[in-house]
């Protein structure tokens, strides 16, 4: 029996998101200055999306104690700042540990739709 994992975005109350609507929700949050988004799955996993509106950190965690795995851009040079967390902290990440926005959106949409990374996704397992 196939069980479909569902995802919730806690945005002033839990909002169910599908792969068809997650990008619209993320774009709306970015447009309003909310650059950190956490989604929680029905199986307890978490998907983090933190952006500076040019690049994004995309992380998938199995549970609260899991260091998880994150998307990477091998060979990218330099670092980018402006990753504003919900508590006001502003982070800087090496560009190799973040991905361009189009790739970040593709990854999030696929994970929300299928529960897993795309087969061609470049990622580092931090466990």
């Amino acid at each position: 029996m196939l069980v479909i994992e569902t995802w919730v975005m806690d945005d002033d109350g839990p909002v169910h998101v599908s792969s068809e609507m997650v990008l619209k929700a993320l774009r709306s949050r970015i447009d309003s200055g909310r650059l950190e988004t956490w989604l929680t799955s029905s199986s307890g996993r978490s998907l983090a999306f933190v952006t500076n509106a040019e690049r994004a950190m995309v992380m998938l965690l199995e549970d609260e104690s899991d260091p998880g795995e994150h998307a990477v851009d091998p060979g990218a040079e330099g670092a980018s700042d402006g990753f504003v967390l919900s508590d006001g902290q502003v982070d800087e990440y090496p560009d190799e540990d973040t991905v361009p926005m189009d790739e970040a959106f593709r990854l999030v949409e696929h994970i929300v739709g299928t529960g897993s990374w795309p087969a061609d996704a470049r990622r580092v397992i931090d466990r």
Side-chain angles (χ1 to χ4, degrees), residues 55 70-80 93-99 122 124:
R55 300 184 69 82
H70 71 277
V72 295
D73 187 1
E77 295 181 8
S80 298
Y93 301 119
D95 285 345
E96 65 186 0
D97 283 329
T98 62
V99 294
R122 296 177 186 174
V124 169

Side-chain angles (χ1 to χ4, degrees), residues 36-90:
E36 178 183 16
T37 301
W38 285 85
L39 296 101
T40 305
S41 80
S42 55
S43 66
R45 299 188 308 151
S46 296
L47 178 60
F49 178 91
V50 182
T51 185
N52 66 358
E54 293 180 15
R55 300 184 69 82
M57 168 75 72
V58 179
M59 299 181 299
L60 183 61
L61 297 86
E62 293 299 318
D63 56 48
E64 286 184 21
S65 64
D66 181 28
E69 45 199 67
H70 71 277
V72 295
D73 187 1
E77 295 181 8
S80 298
D81 61 5
F83 293 87
V84 181
L85 305 182
S86 58
D87 65 2
Q89 177 178 323
V90 180

Side-chain angles (χ1 to χ4, degrees), residues 6 20 60:
T6 59
E20 294 82 17
L60 183 61

Side-chain angles (χ1 to χ4, degrees), residues 4-7 16-27 39 47 105-115:
I4 303 295
E5 187 174 34
T6 59
W7 292 85
H16 289 276
V17 292
S18 64
S19 60
E20 294 82 17
M21 65 185 289
V22 69
L23 298 186
K24 181 178 179 182
L26 287 174
R27 286 185 178 111
L39 296 101
L47 178 60
F105 285 148
R106 181 182 82 90
L107 297 172
V108 169
E109 185 175 49
H110 193 275
I111 292 168
V112 170
T114 67

